[in-house]
Amino acid sequence: MPGTLSFEDLKSRVSDGTIDTVLVCFVDMQGRLMGKRFHAVNFVETSFKETHCCNYLLATDLEMATPDGYASTSWQSGYGDYVMAPDLNTIRLVPWLEGTALVLCDVLDHHTHEAVPHSPRAILKKQVKRLEAMGYEAKMATELEFFLFEKSLADIRKSGFRDLEPISGYNEDYHIFQTTKEEGVMRPIRNHLYAAGLPIENSKGEAESGQEELNIRYSPALNCADYHSIAKHAIKEIAWQNGHAATFLPKWHKDRVGSSSHVHQSLWKDGEAAFFDGDAKHGKSELMSHYMAGLIKYAPDYTYFLAPYVNSYKRFAKGTFAPTKTVWSVDNRTAGFRLCGEGTKGVRVECRIGGSDLNPYLAQAVMIAAGIKGIEDQLDLSPATTGDIYEDAKAADIPQTLRAATETLRNSQFLREVMGDDVVDHYTRAAEWEQEEFDRAVTDWEIARGFERA
Ligand code: ADP
């Protein structure tokens, strides 16, 4: 792929002066790039081995608070360091910033140099390894939906997030004329990311004013998550460079459709599509049936990892293409899981539950784990559903609120087995904290409703 650099390539670009800055980053619980901007000479001479960061970065929230209740770190333990170990296979250009490259890091314990178990990249690597031990490779694609706004982030912040005018005036689903007007932002997003080594497929208008989707070609799960995090970061930066704002908040207005991140999944064995069986109905192999049965059975357990904030649950409204039912269908967008690529080697399952705010490492890890469980336990897949599944009272629901998803996470024997108690307890605390913070807030809605009339 053009844009990815070997360590030797990087060194030569540093010595000829074309690269002067290396962004040394890891992905936090919220899916953000966190780290430091290194002078490139320092990076290639010494810091490529490791650097350090405060360990609160994997026990914080969107506001960078220091909540209590985490076993891994606290004020009592003095908020020590983690090691950031650059994964030199992830060095790439950052073409939208001058003279800049980027590398992703694994997060290690400062003393033992073991992977920090609740680090999102470590969580995904663990499930990928389990799958490898069974002889399979997961190939995944996470769609990125987001909204572009007319004004800049700074202006929107100054308006108290009230002056929210999307970049377009009408539903632009698949719309070529409207998306032409947005090419000032979207073309550099596609081209810079491609030049950074991401296999960009396309962008398209989505089903709301100002809503966009970016598609990246499916790839091994860890690459897919790395691509998603880098692309999300780039979309925000490139929109900002052009004086606009991009948001991945799943639901920014009660009357507007929300933003999702659908996750396409398939398993491969020795380079062959293991989900494909040309003689079977839909081309769906037994293996795929068991994987899907696991995905469906354990969806309530892992919903938190698809919808991690209070706002995430506002997206789940009837008739908006945001499904909440733990059933599957063939090419029907109202079910939580959709079989795509019917009868072809591209046969795959798409999970449509996740919001644009999901962390791709965590979302993929828990779904791979659920699929493995389905295979191990040879779970039976119920028949496909049809029609408008929003109206199907018999179809089971995922948890409808963050509070409910926190309880299914806390009580999930399955997730405790496959992720470890320490990891489940860590993310349960993150979920509780999010709810506690929301419960402390007094919202605009409450004031407008009750100020005069209560
Ligand atoms: P749609 O029309 O729903 O957008 P696409 O054909 O564009 O469907 O595919 C959506 C995503 O699925 C793309 O990112 C694509 O790379 C990915 N994809 C295609 N084949 C597979 C597969 N076998 N496994 C996982 N993802 C796949």
Side-chain angles (χ1 to χ4, degrees):
M1 209 49 214
T4 49
L5 302 179
S6 68
F7 189 46
E8 291 311 310
D9 290 337
L10 177 66
K11 279 196 220 162
S12 65
R13 289 181 192 234
V14 174
S15 61
D16 72 18
T18 43
I19 296 286
D20 57 60
T21 299
V22 181
L23 308 182
V24 180
C25 310
F26 71 94
V27 178
D28 73 1
M29 293 161 71
Q30 291 73 25
R32 301 173 293 191
L33 299 187
M34 291 286 168
K36 307 179 188 173
R37 309 181 104 91
F38 274 85
H39 194 286
V41 172
N42 176 284
F43 180 78
V44 296
E45 285 180 357
T46 57
S47 303
F48 71 91
K49 290 186 210 126
E50 64 175 55
T51 180
H52 304 93
C53 66
C54 177
N55 66 18
Y56 97 107
L57 290 171
L58 287 177
T60 187
D61 62 5
L62 288 167
E63 297 275 13
M64 314 302 289
T66 50
D68 60 8
Y70 284 109
S72 59
T73 188
S74 61
W75 288 112
Q76 268 85 29
S77 67
Y79 281 117
D81 265 357
Y82 282 145
V83 170
M84 293 169 60
D87 175 347
L88 298 183
N89 293 319
T90 66
I91 304 174
R92 61 186 70 247
L93 297 171
V94 182
W96 61 97
L97 298 178
E98 217 175 311
T100 302
L102 175 150
V103 67
L104 293 175
C105 297
D106 291 308
V107 185
L108 311 181
D109 183 276
H110 191 51
H111 306 286
T112 64
H113 275 64
E114 293 288 323
V116 170
H118 53 274
S119 149
R121 215 162 180 261
I123 288 174
L124 178 55
K125 279 184 164 182
K126 180 172 171 176
Q127 300 307 324
V128 165
K129 241 195 197 146
R130 291 182 65 218
L131 206 50
E132 268 168 19
M134 297 166 72
Y136 297 112
E137 182 180 41
K139 292 197 183 173
M140 317 281 263
T142 49
E143 299 175 6
L144 289 106
E145 287 181 6
F146 54 97
F147 278 84
L148 286 179
F149 291 88
E150 237 174 51
K151 297 230 164 105
S152 68
L153 284 174
D155 286 342
I156 288 173
R157 173 175 286 280
K158 276 185 218 144
S159 79
F161 299 95
R162 270 156 217 263
D163 200 0
L164 294 176
E165 202 50 59
I167 202 165
S168 74
Y170 51 80
N171 178 332
E172 58 188 273
D173 205 18
Y174 296 92
H175 224 274
I176 295 299
F177 178 40
Q178 179 53 42
T179 52
T180 294
K181 297 186 230 164
E182 293 147 17
E183 277 293 83
V185 183
M186 295 308 296
R187 183 165 176 250
I189 287 174
R190 289 191 308 274
N191 290 343
H192 285 320
L193 284 173
Y194 188 82
L198 274 64
I200 299 300
E201 289 186 336
N202 56 55
S203 66
K204 65 180 273 294
E206 258 299 327
E208 193 37 282
S209 312
Q211 196 178 26
E212 313 277 347
E213 176 179 287
L214 182 75
N215 287 302
I216 305 173
R217 188 176 160 73
Y218 66 101
S219 40
L222 188 65
N223 290 356
C224 169
D226 289 350
Y227 294 159
H228 182 114
S229 311
I230 292 166
K232 182 173 173 185
H233 180 84
I235 288 165
K236 289 185 183 182
E237 274 190 6
I238 294 169
W240 167 81
Q241 284 175 333
N242 284 278
H244 296 291
T247 186
F248 288 81
L249 186 70
K251 191 82 174 172
W252 67 272
H253 191 286
K254 72 180 180 57
D255 300 327
R256 309 284 181 137
V257 164
S259 294
S260 331
S261 181
H262 302 151
V263 183
H264 292 255
Q265 315 172 39
S266 58
L267 294 191
W268 296 69
K269 196 178 186 92
D270 306 324
E272 295 292 323
F275 274 4
F276 179 60
D277 176 351
D279 298 327
K281 193 168 176 197
H282 311 306
K284 169 170 63 62
S285 66
E286 273 293 292
L287 183 85
M288 181 172 183
S289 294
H290 295 318
Y291 184 97
M292 287 176 70
L295 276 186
I296 290 171
K297 176 169 179 186
Y298 294 104
D301 296 45
Y302 63 71
T303 295
Y304 166 73
F305 294 106
L306 302 178
Y309 305 111
V310 171
N311 182 264
S312 317
Y313 295 82
K314 302 277 164 82
R315 189 184 130 250
F316 296 136
K318 210 169 122 173
T320 62
F321 293 112
T324 56
K325 300 284 190 183
T326 54
V327 293
W328 73 281
S329 68
V330 182
D331 207 13
N332 176 335
R333 287 185 164 80
T334 65
F337 300 89
R338 182 166 70 122
L339 182 141
C340 301
E342 185 183 13
T344 71
K345 288 201 166 143
V347 68
R348 59 192 183 272
V349 55
E350 175 196 37
C351 172
R352 299 179 55 81
I353 298 169
S356 49
D357 53 350
L358 59 68
N359 178 323
Y361 298 87
L362 302 175
Q364 288 187 69
V366 291
M367 288 198 273
I368 291 172
I372 292 176
K373 183 82 174 145
I375 296 168
E376 284 174 347
D377 294 353
Q378 303 268 297
L379 294 180
D380 286 331
L381 182 65
S382 50
T385 48
T386 51
D388 180 356
I389 292 154
Y390 288 114
E391 298 298 342
D392 185 348
K394 286 198 301 299
D397 271 311
I398 56 159
Q400 299 291 300
T401 60
L402 178 60
R403 224 185 276 281
T406 307
E407 289 316 306
T408 52
L409 168 65
R410 188 200 313 279
N411 298 320
S412 173
Q413 217 34 56
F414 152 66
L415 286 178
R416 288 185 178 278
E417 268 163 34
V418 297
M419 299 176 98
D421 284 330
D422 50 350
V423 173
V424 171
D425 290 341
H426 190 88
Y427 283 91
T428 301
R429 180 62 195 131
E432 282 172 356
W433 172 255
E434 199 61 25
Q435 188 67 55
E436 286 166 18
E437 283 290 88
F438 181 74
D439 291 345
R440 274 189 279 275
V442 177
T443 65
D444 290 355
W445 183 86
E446 293 162 88
I447 305 276
R449 196 168 176 97
F451 189 86
E452 182 175 334
R453 292 167 291 179

